[in-house]
Structure formats: structure tokens, C-alpha cells
Amino acid sequence: MKENLIKLYNTLAMIETKGENTKIMAQCLAYVEKLAQDCDKADTQAE
């Protein structure tokens, strides 16, 4: 799951945006990054 989230983040980061869409994209990227970090923490705690 973490790998898929990182791939999604990288793909979204390549999309050019303008105006208000830039703010929305920034929020989406931050959310996806947090999800990837949460997956990493969950994996670490499971071990």
C-alpha cells in the first residue's frame, strides 16, 4: 500500500496546476504523504 501511495504522490506532483487548483493539489499531496507515513508506522509497529 505504501508503494502505491508513493507512486500516486509522484504522479500527482508532476501535474501542472494554476490558481486555486494549486492549493487543492497541495492539500491532496500532503494528505497522500501522511497516508504513506501512517502505513510506514503501521508496518513498523506490526513487526
Side-chain angles (χ1 to χ4, degrees):
M1 176 63 105
K2 180 184 172 187
E3 292 176 16
N4 289 336
L5 289 170
I6 291 171
K7 288 177 185 178
L8 175 60
Y9 177 92
N10 290 337
T11 301
L12 290 173
M14 293 187 320
I15 299 171
E16 293 185 28
T17 59
K18 294 182 180 179
E20 188 67 25
N21 290 335
T22 302
K23 294 177 186 177
I24 295 168
M25 181 63 82
Q27 292 173 342
C28 290
L29 288 170
Y31 182 68
V32 171
E33 185 175 26
K34 183 181 180 320
L35 289 175
Q37 290 172 352
D38 291 348
C39 283
D40 195 32
K41 286 180 186 177
D43 290 344
T44 302
Q45 291 176 354
E47 293 175 357

